[in-house]
Amino acid sequence: MPVFPDPHPSGAVAPKIPSQFVPRHVAVVMDGNGRWANQRGLPRNEGHKAGEHSLVDVVAGAIEMGIPYVSAYAFSTENWRRSIDEVSFIMRFVTEVLTRQLDTLQSWGVRVLWSGRKPKLWKSVIRQLEYCQEQTKNNTVCTLVMCVNYGGRAEIADAAQALAQDAAAGVVKPQSVNEKMLARYLYHPEVPDVDLFLRSSGELRTSNFLLWQSAYAELVFLDVLWPDVDRLVLWDAVEQYARRDRRYGGAVDQVAGR
Ligand code: IPE
Ligand code: IPE
Ligand code: MG
């Protein structure tokens, strides 16, 4: 039986929000680690270390709110542009975090999934991600999608390639290709579209995260650096989300009597 996460140290409890206004899928761009560290006179990698707690606390907060899917952007297909030193640190660090946190995630009933590209990614990281996936595959409380060597365009291009191969093999008719069919070739077609897209650190861009799945996501940009994020920040963002009017392109008159 899964256990409930310990409450936030402040004793705060999750806001009561009607279930139809609770996002099913929250995507999180965990940004601002380097600046957090440099502001303290520390090297960037210290910021990554400080961000581990934020991720675990946000997952705890998601469980407390009944959010079934959280995607965490840990390393993008563009992050290979960083120094060898930082890339190597992040590769080792992702493996260590997964090793350190697996028991906790398991006890909470979290299912871990990996989303991303294999080429270039360190074998040790792939091994640990696949191990966590296997170990947690029967958990049902919350799904944590770890996006490592992930890029939104890469995912769409990979889907297009797989679809083209099936078309060439005669499994798929080119004229029957549509949005629904392409979506079935994404890394995890069973994961619903993103409802709430969160980015910390004040940057106002998506940086290639979940482009397809976020087509109608509500965007919330936080002026907080990732190591300073915790479940209270998530809950505040969800309250903002719950007040948004999601129209999906539709429109109705708001004038009485019409
Ligand atoms: C996000 O923090 C973590 C990763 C991209 C791996 P950054 O490392 O981008 O921190 P800033 O944006 O430079 O402050
Ligand atoms: C996005 O942050 C990637 C992750 C958080 C893993 P970046 O810091 O890499 O994005 P840019 O460079 O500011 O767009
Ligand atoms: Mg950044």
Side-chain angles (χ1 to χ4, degrees):
M1 270 299 281
V3 299
F4 216 57
D6 284 338
H8 186 264
S10 68
V13 292
K16 299 262 175 297
I17 291 174
S19 59
Q20 70 269 32
F21 297 121
V22 173
R24 279 182 78 201
H25 184 180
V26 178
V28 190
V29 181
M30 309 187 285
D31 195 25
N33 295 347
R35 277 164 281 170
W36 183 93
N38 287 171
Q39 281 171 9
R40 286 160 178 75
L42 299 168
R44 298 178 51 81
N45 292 344
E46 291 301 315
H48 300 315
K49 287 189 200 165
E52 177 175 353
H53 175 262
S54 306
L55 175 61
V56 177
D57 207 67
V58 162
V59 173
I63 293 170
E64 288 186 80
M65 282 214 84
I67 295 167
Y69 293 89
V70 175
S71 289
Y73 207 5
F75 191 87
S76 74
T77 45
E78 289 69 45
N79 286 146
W80 298 105
R81 294 194 185 121
R82 297 192 179 194
S83 71
I84 297 171
D85 182 59
E86 185 171 352
V87 167
S88 315
F89 176 85
I90 295 172
M91 290 295 127
R92 279 192 300 272
F93 186 64
V94 167
T95 311
E96 285 166 19
V97 169
L98 290 167
T99 309
R100 249 193 311 274
Q101 301 301 337
L102 181 58
D103 284 352
T104 301
L105 296 171
Q106 190 76 277
S107 71
W108 293 345
V110 175
R111 176 172 68 132
V112 177
L113 290 180
W114 165 46
S115 211
R117 259 187 180 168
K118 264 191 183 165
K120 271 168 103 172
L121 189 56
W122 286 22
K123 297 277 173 300
S124 52
V125 180
I126 297 173
R127 226 180 297 122
Q128 188 58 22
L129 283 161
E130 290 182 341
Y131 177 74
C132 290
Q133 275 195 163
E134 179 59 29
Q135 291 294 307
T136 62
K137 66 177 184 211
N138 296 321
N139 292 343
T140 56
V141 174
C142 179
T143 297
L144 171 62
V145 189
M146 290 298 296
C147 300
V148 187
N149 198 23
Y150 176 87
R153 287 186 169 187
E155 182 180 25
I156 295 166
D158 288 351
Q161 190 186 93
L163 190 47
Q165 271 160 357
D166 278 355
V171 182
V172 159
K173 288 199 208 78
Q175 63 275 23
S176 62
V177 173
N178 57 21
E179 291 174 28
K180 220 170 148 183
M181 184 181 288
L182 194 133
R184 286 206 288 271
Y185 287 82
L186 297 172
Y187 296 142
H188 293 289
E190 74 285 10
V191 174
D193 279 351
V194 174
D195 295 308
L196 171 58
F197 184 108
L198 278 183
R199 181 175 188 146
S200 59
S201 92
E203 303 295 354
L204 305 179
R205 55 179 170 268
T206 63
S207 297
N208 201 17
F209 193 36
L210 295 172
L211 297 181
W212 179 280
Q213 298 86 341
S214 298
Y216 256 105
E218 295 297 327
L219 311 179
V220 173
F221 295 100
L222 306 162
D223 273 323
V224 186
L225 300 174
W226 179 251
D228 292 326
V229 171
D230 65 6
R231 71 186 92 173
L232 303 184
V233 176
L234 171 74
W235 293 344
D236 187 61
V238 172
E239 284 186 302
Q240 287 186 49
Y241 165 85
R243 289 193 293 271
R244 301 265 179 100
D245 180 16
R246 300 188 80 187
R247 291 190 289 272
Y248 299 100
V252 283
D253 265 323
Q254 300 292 329
V255 181
R258 290 212 184 192

